[in-house]
Amino acid sequence: MKKLFFILYFLIFANVVFSQKQPYVIYKANGKEVSYEKMLKSLQKSNIILFGELHNNPIAHWLQYEVTADLHESKPLILGAEMLEADNQEALNHYLIDSINYKALDTLARLWPNYKTDYAPLVDLAKDKKLEFIATNVPRRYANLVYRKGFEALDSLSDQEKKWVAPLPIIFEPELPTYQNILKMMGEHGSPKLVMAQAIKDATMAHFILKHYQENHTFIHYNGAYHSDKYEGILWYLKQKRDDLNYATISTVSQVNIHELEEENLNKADFIICVDNDMTTTY
């Protein structure tokens, strides 16, 4: 009788557990499911983490916060993000030391429209914990300049302006598969200069990550997934300068069925957050 009761209890429990809807599943690069705890344990060994997001995905933003807060309990961190541009670092620093408020930061810096919901929690975490937060991205006007005129146009920048861009001349490998894929996706609208505009962002983000990286710290960088997917983009530039560091990459994807990673999403990163396609978005 006890055995029958146990079997019945197990079946009811299993039915409840497995009938619950999951908003996301975390996978390793090879498509094997992995727990949050095991991912976190692996990330603790990294010098630099590139956390690739879908910009409007709330699960990605929530996990960015959770990973950062949990890692902070075990080791010193430095934070940085694509969503803040290098020439806004001074305003960001003033906010972090509480010499200006959010309204002033919003006035002085070119904050993304979804900053308040998606990135302010990370910046405020840095502020509360007294962590550095680095504005890593190239000012968009210079990316637009490259898109129109190529890398050569950067030579005309002033010495001050060049401080907000990766050191010139820019190393460039246009044959990287992710760069070639940009041309394929854009079709007749694609051009070599479009890829250069992507590369100047990747190169500049990598430059400021390494400039502010400190030994015995972990630098967590938040960026659009495409900037680090397939171990290219930012990571390619990082490895040109510091191939000796331990890197980890995270990507975010969206699928109808989250219980098996689709082939196209395999090997995008060390860890892939697979989010239900029906998940609401932040914009």
Side-chain angles (χ1 to χ4, degrees):
M1 185 66 180
K2 286 184 178 180
K3 186 176 181 180
L4 180 62
F5 176 79
F6 175 79
I7 293 173
L8 182 62
Y9 175 82
F10 175 79
L11 290 173
I12 293 172
F13 176 78
N15 184 61
V16 170
V17 170
F18 291 108
S19 65
Q20 291 178 344
K21 287 194 173 184
Q22 290 178 265
Y24 72 95
V25 176
I26 303 174
Y27 292 96
K28 291 183 179 180
N30 61 6
K32 183 178 179 181
E33 189 173 334
V34 63
S35 68
Y36 174 84
E37 290 74 20
K38 286 187 177 180
M39 178 181 74
L40 193 69
K41 186 176 181 180
S42 177
L43 294 176
Q44 288 172 343
K45 305 171 187 175
S46 304
N47 301 120
I48 294 175
I49 299 167
L50 301 178
F51 199 131
E53 64 175 48
L54 299 177
H55 292 315
N56 63 354
N57 189 284
I59 294 294
H61 294 303
W62 173 65
L63 283 173
Q64 285 173 337
Y65 186 94
E66 293 300 308
V67 166
T68 304
D70 288 341
L71 284 178
H72 179 258
E73 293 182 2
S74 61
K75 62 189 310 184
L77 302 179
I78 303 165
L79 312 184
E82 168 197 358
M83 303 80 194
L84 291 157
E85 297 169 18
D87 59 337
N88 292 150
Q89 186 67 57
E90 185 176 359
L92 178 59
N93 288 344
H94 282 300
Y95 178 78
L96 291 172
I97 62 173
D98 212 22
S99 64
I100 63 172
N101 59 19
Y102 168 75
K103 186 176 181 180
L105 178 66
D106 192 26
T107 300
L108 295 170
R110 295 177 299 279
L111 301 180
W112 284 25
N114 60 324
Y115 173 86
K116 197 167 187 178
T117 56
D118 298 342
Y119 307 113
L122 293 167
V123 174
D124 288 342
L125 178 64
K127 183 179 180 180
D128 292 342
K129 303 297 183 182
K130 294 181 170 49
L131 305 177
E132 286 188 81
F133 201 112
I134 309 304
T136 63
N137 206 358
V138 65
R140 67 193 71 177
R141 59 188 178 275
Y142 303 143
N144 289 336
L145 181 64
V146 170
Y147 173 61
R148 290 185 287 109
K149 299 183 178 181
F151 288 133
E152 296 79 8
L154 298 174
D155 294 331
S156 65
L157 299 182
S158 68
D159 289 343
Q160 178 58 53
E161 289 174 312
K162 287 177 181 176
K163 292 179 180 179
W164 300 322
V165 180
L168 304 179
I170 302 297
I171 303 170
F172 183 46
E173 179 46 78
E175 297 304 316
L176 288 175
T178 49
Y179 287 166
Q180 285 297 304
N181 194 46
I182 290 175
L183 295 177
K184 291 178 183 177
M185 289 190 297
M186 296 304 294
E188 62 183 22
H189 299 291
S191 70
K193 290 186 178 68
L194 175 63
V195 178
M196 289 180 187
Q198 179 82 357
I200 191 61
K201 296 176 183 179
D202 292 336
T204 300
M205 287 188 273
H207 167 67
F208 283 110
I209 290 171
L210 290 179
K211 181 178 180 179
H212 293 276
Y213 170 72
Q214 299 175 37
E215 296 296 329
N216 302 315
H217 286 63
T218 291
F219 193 121
I220 306 179
H221 188 261
Y222 317 106
N223 52 265
Y226 203 84
H227 284 289
S228 52
D229 274 354
K230 298 293 184 180
Y231 306 97
E232 294 179 3
I234 300 169
L235 184 58
W236 186 86
Y237 279 99
L238 289 170
K239 287 189 171 183
Q240 302 309 302
K241 299 291 186 180
R242 291 294 304 270
D243 195 36
D244 58 308
L245 296 178
N246 186 4
Y247 298 100
T249 59
I250 301 171
S251 187
T252 308
V253 301
S254 181
Q255 293 185 182
V256 173
N257 174 21
I258 65 172
H259 298 291
E260 182 178 358
L261 197 62
E262 294 174 2
E263 185 174 354
E264 67 181 33
N265 291 325
L266 292 169
N267 299 306
K268 275 194 170 183
D270 295 316
F271 299 99
I272 298 122
I273 301 164
C274 184
V275 182
D276 192 300
N277 201 47
D278 290 332
M279 176 56 59
T280 55
T281 57
T282 57
Y283 64 90

